[in-house]
Amino acid sequence: MKKSELIVLGVIFLLVFYMRTLPITPGKILPFDPVFQYRFTKYFVQWGFLPEWDELTYYVGRENINPPLMYYLTGLFYFIFGGSLFTVAAYASALYGALIVIPAFLLGRELSNRYGGYVSAVLVGTAPQILSRTFGGSYDTDQLVLFFILLTIYLSVVFIRKRNVESFSLMAAGFIGFMFTWLMFWYTYFAGVMIAGLYMIVTYIRERKFDLRIPAGFAALFFVLITVGSIGGVKPIYTLSGLLGFATNPGQWIVTKSIAELQPLSSGAWLPAMMAATGNFNIGGTETLFLLFGFLILISLSVLIQKNHVNRTACIIILALAALITTKGIRFTEFSSAFFLILAGTGFGMLMERFKDVHAKKVIVGFGAFLAFVALSTGFVAAQNYKVSSDPDWDAAWEFLKNRTPELSLVGTWWDPGHMITGLAERRVIADGAHCGDECYYGINTRIVDLGRVFMARNETEAVKILRKYKGTSPEIYWIASDDLIDKFQWLQYYGTGCNALKENCPLYYRIFLSDYGTVGSVPVYIYPIGTEQRVLLFDLSIPVPVLEDRGNYIIFSEVIFKFGNTTYTQRLEPEGANQTLSTFGVNLVNQTLPYSVWIGKGFIVLIPQELRDIMFTKQFFLEGKDLKRFKLVFSNDKVKIFKVDDSGLFE
């Protein structure tokens, strides 16, 4: 690499690293998956090695096959700099994210020239779609995964072009590093094989040449990875079979249906999908469409005006992979963005090379400067909008579980907060986001269905019996009902009963937020709008009275659930009794009741259909365990209710 290239790339690296540090809050990282990665980093820092068996997740646990490279690197930074491991992990994630610009530059330069490399590095380093997964505090594998995806494709292209021992050794080293970073590293191995295969077909058709060094190199690489991976304990054959199984049947884990970002893109969403897949540089209205059009032209040029077969075939395969990845769901546009933007950078480099006229070059350079300005300004604005913060209610819940429950206790809830329970509360869980199939005792499909059944149960003894089969040697079982499940309830219901609210008329909770308030006489009235013609009026009397106002008609709800002090109260409501009070305010109720209970929260209310009034989730969250015998409320705040489960006298 030339000195001038090192200087420019160094400046780009420093800018995107600084950009990624803007969201960092010392002592904090993002929740969920980053906490899962933090847990293993902490284990390595404390003990100097990683566990062979992870008992906390999917209790009774699973074999730990997480590739260790990120844990080792972050642990090394911690040993050097000290301080809070959370803070070190936050800055390490910013560093890993900034490193992406290096292989982006190398691949863009390889496919075109240094100008294409510069533009590729700037676009990939600043793209909001990539930045949203790789900023400081987002301590996950995305940063290093994207780094190695680009690096291994670059090294594969170099090997196909050079076909010597040095290029093979570098390619092998890159893939070995990737293997110790991500279980699904085989993806780019097959991408390299496809580039090599297409190149060999093209050269044979055009030149009647067939160089055996290329297939021999990839075959040798396969055996190197199998050998080194087996010795290093990352089980490459197992991960290969797992990749092939998931690629052919991603629906094998039923929980993927409930994850919006994993759903295939619909045909009507092509414009937002293409914006996301080209980095999501949303600069407003027509300008965004113009920028998208410019990217698409550059991407096309990267293929059409290539000079050699290796680069053209590489661009074709990269373009095909980017298009395919985009259709698989918004989650994967982080990766397709990098591919599309490098192709755009390649197209820019080809333009610089194609046109020799000074005036034409000035126009091209001006366009490149415009791209760099838009990319950097958009990236800095996006970075300032990302926040790494915590939720005091949830933090208090983790603190309670960690310090006030027996160490080996089992905690059950929906799968989403599982990583937080294992990573921050340090307790066993029934399920979490590290989805576990047949290799676990009771796989993810069974566990997700059982968790849904517990929330949907009407008989608490039956609910406890379901939980008890996961207890094992745990001294106690704790159960969490939380407010986020109000809006996710359709999935609890779907997995627990089979009723699909997307296709059927299934009862759901309806959360309505407070929009305004006033007084009628001396009585406060809170207003919760439903669309444009309906609203719920909550009269704050000694017993709150919720009324639906529907185009001048007033209808009372059948029940109100409210809290006074530390006690939850329920009150059945009738039009006749309420009319005596409300008529003095000019509100005359029709002679009927709506079959909903109204729960009053802070800043919102929830309408509870009659069909859901007596299920476990309603009794646990809204009624805080009132009248339950086997679920004892031991911790409560506005968002989280924790119950100690009494399974005495029950047998499987």
Side-chain angles (χ1 to χ4, degrees), residues 479-539:
W479 181 256
I480 296 176
S482 52
D483 78 327
D484 59 304
L485 298 181
I486 298 171
D487 305 309
K488 299 173 184 175
F489 180 77
Q490 72 177 79
W491 298 112
L492 280 64
Q493 181 171 240
Y494 172 62
Y495 295 119
T497 68
C499 190
N500 186 350
L502 298 176
K503 299 179 180 180
E504 305 173 55
N505 186 23
C506 307
L508 296 173
Y509 299 109
Y510 191 21
R511 190 198 299 249
I512 312 172
F513 289 94
L514 177 69
S515 69
D516 200 1
Y517 67 93
T519 58
V520 176
S522 60
V523 176
V525 180
Y526 300 91
I527 302 171
Y528 304 84
I530 307 174
T532 57
E533 296 184 339
Q534 294 180 322
R535 58 183 185 172
V536 176
L537 305 177
L538 181 64
F539 293 86

Side-chain angles (χ1 to χ4, degrees), residues 319-378:
L319 179 59
L321 289 174
L324 177 63
I325 292 169
T326 300
T327 66
K328 297 301 181 180
I330 199 70
R331 171 66 178 88
F332 306 109
T333 53
E334 167 195 0
F335 305 116
S336 59
S337 289
F339 289 157
F340 277 129
L341 293 174
I342 287 173
L343 290 177
T346 300
F348 177 84
M350 298 305 298
L351 283 178
M352 287 290 292
E353 190 172 305
R354 187 69 174 264
F355 291 92
K356 306 300 182 182
D357 180 75
V358 174
H359 297 293
K361 279 191 176 292
K362 287 182 179 179
V363 173
I364 297 169
V365 169
F367 180 57
F370 166 74
L371 285 180
F373 172 77
V374 168
L376 287 167
S377 58
T378 305

Side-chain angles (χ1 to χ4, degrees), residues 15-16 18-19 22 126 131 375-385:
L15 285 172
V16 299
Y18 174 69
M19 181 185 298
L22 294 177
T126 59
L131 183 61
L376 287 167
S377 58
T378 305
F380 273 107
V381 170
Q384 293 175 40
N385 290 329

